[in-house]
Amino acid sequence: MAVSVQELSKKYGEQWALNKVSIEVGQNEVLGLLGPNGAGKSTLMKCIVGALAPSSGQVWVNEKNVQEFPLETKSVIGYLPENNPLYLDMYVKEYLNFVADLRKIPTTEIDAVIEKTGLAPEKNKRIKALSKGYKQRVGLAQAIIHQPKILILDEPTNGLDPNQIIEIRNLIREVGKDKTIILSTHIMQEVEALCSRVVLLNKGQKLTDTSIEEFRGNFASLEEAFHELTLQSKK
């Protein structure tokens, strides 16, 4: 397994953000992580990448425990958080140079990742001058610059217009051909286009873990399946 999450729980005060969630993701699998706002998706992703310590449970990345081997596990993960925290006053290429230096990888990788993510026309601009679509491309560029085997993407198309959504979706499909991807999104078309399997969370608990076809089941669409399954969990 590329990622193994076992009985993972996270508590904030008296509230459980995650409650004994277990998930396994195979090599080169694309998993869609679904759930309403506040379901625990971002918390789960932060625990997987080692940015947040769980209250209990374990996470393994490439058979290494994230808590015991933080540097080794982080080195094989590319992470794009939901809020995409960029240094807005830096130029695109300057920022990617900075990331490459942090990752201790050759600066020769920078031009390659700029080309791969379609940033060449914007590479000499300040990040704050970019459209949101191009800012997302910069976020993806920093996530893949070290050629990780695992990508964790938290709502990568959130707030983009339809054209930008398609561009970023195609970019994820292209850069993720030989990677394990865990993708959080509220856009069901994105799930259908990119994922082979979905995990549905609600109120910190796993409701279902199944293939796209089985998730849809007898419903007319993934949206309807999502609505009905999360509604049932409230009863």
Side-chain angles (χ1 to χ4, degrees), residues 107-169:
T107 54
T108 51
E109 297 291 330
I110 295 168
D111 287 334
V113 81
I114 284 174
E115 193 65 33
K116 183 176 285 189
T117 52
L119 284 167
E122 313 293 322
K123 66 181 180 180
N124 295 318
K125 288 185 179 179
R126 288 188 189 272
I127 294 173
K128 66 182 177 183
L130 302 179
S131 68
K132 184 158 186 181
Y134 271 106
K135 286 176 183 171
Q136 288 300 91
R137 287 174 181 265
V138 176
L140 275 171
Q142 67 78 25
I144 66 171
I145 195 168
H146 56 300
Q147 299 183 21
K149 284 297 182 182
I150 299 169
L151 277 179
I152 310 292
L153 308 175
D154 195 354
E155 298 196 34
T157 60
N158 184 36
L160 303 186
D161 67 38
N163 288 335
Q164 292 172 332
I165 287 173
I166 292 171
E167 289 170 3
I168 297 298
R169 188 183 299 161

Side-chain angles (χ1 to χ4, degrees), residues 37-38 41-43 45-46 79-85 132 136 152-159 184 186:
N37 289 332
K41 304 184 300 297
S42 293
T43 298
M45 289 180 152
K46 288 175 183 176
Y79 177 43
L80 177 60
E82 181 183 2
N83 61 353
N84 192 11
K132 184 158 186 181
Q136 288 300 91
I152 310 292
L153 308 175
D154 195 354
E155 298 196 34
T157 60
N158 184 36
S184 168
H186 286 124

Side-chain angles (χ1 to χ4, degrees), residues 9-231:
S9 296
K10 180 63 181 179
K11 194 174 187 180
Y12 297 103
E14 296 302 312
Q15 183 176 357
W16 290 100
L18 292 172
N19 190 1
K20 295 184 178 180
V21 173
S22 296
I23 299 170
E24 294 200 337
V25 189
Q27 298 289 345
N28 298 336
E29 184 175 12
V30 182
L31 176 73
L33 189 60
L34 309 182
N37 289 332
K41 304 184 300 297
S42 293
T43 298
L44 176 59
M45 289 180 152
K46 288 175 183 176
C47 288
I48 291 172
V49 302
L52 195 62
S55 301
S56 63
Q58 303 289 331
V59 179
W60 285 268
V61 169
N62 284 351
E63 301 184 355
K64 289 190 175 181
N65 187 290
V66 169
Q67 295 296 310
E68 294 178 11
F69 300 95
L71 294 181
E72 291 91 331
T73 52
K74 285 181 174 70
S75 70
V76 298
I77 294 176
Y79 177 43
L80 177 60
E82 181 183 2
N83 61 353
N84 192 11
L86 302 170
Y87 290 105
L88 299 181
D89 283 323
M90 295 181 80
Y91 295 91
V92 171
K93 191 166 184 179
E94 177 190 17
Y95 171 71
L96 294 175
N97 265 292
F98 169 68
V99 174
D101 188 49
L102 287 177
R103 290 282 187 180
K104 293 182 170 55
I105 59 173
T107 54
T108 51
E109 297 291 330
I110 295 168
D111 287 334
V113 81
I114 284 174
E115 193 65 33
K116 183 176 285 189
T117 52
L119 284 167
E122 313 293 322
K123 66 181 180 180
N124 295 318
K125 288 185 179 179
R126 288 188 189 272
I127 294 173
K128 66 182 177 183
L130 302 179
S131 68
K132 184 158 186 181
Y134 271 106
K135 286 176 183 171
Q136 288 300 91
R137 287 174 181 265
V138 176
L140 275 171
Q142 67 78 25
I144 66 171
I145 195 168
H146 56 300
Q147 299 183 21
K149 284 297 182 182
I150 299 169
L151 277 179
I152 310 292
L153 308 175
D154 195 354
E155 298 196 34
T157 60
N158 184 36
L160 303 186
D161 67 38
N163 288 335
Q164 292 172 332
I165 287 173
I166 292 171
E167 289 170 3
I168 297 298
R169 188 183 299 161
N170 289 338
L171 179 57
I172 291 169
R173 185 184 292 113
E174 178 62 29
V175 302
K177 283 180 178 177
D178 59 347
K179 301 185 189 304
T180 300
I181 300 177
I182 300 177
L183 169 74
S184 168
T185 182
H186 286 124
I187 303 172
M188 295 300 114
Q189 297 97 315
E190 208 154 272
V191 176
E192 289 191 287
L194 297 171
C195 305
S196 57
R197 179 173 143 232
V198 295
V199 165
L200 178 62
L201 299 179
N202 196 23
K203 296 181 179 179
Q205 295 186 313
K206 185 174 71 172
L207 298 186
T208 186
D209 181 348
T210 187
S211 68
I212 294 286
E213 294 76 16
E214 290 177 346
F215 180 72
R216 186 187 296 108
N218 296 322
F219 297 104
S221 65
L222 292 183
E223 286 89 350
E224 186 178 326
F226 178 97
H227 175 70
E228 290 297 327
L229 290 167
T230 53
L231 196 64

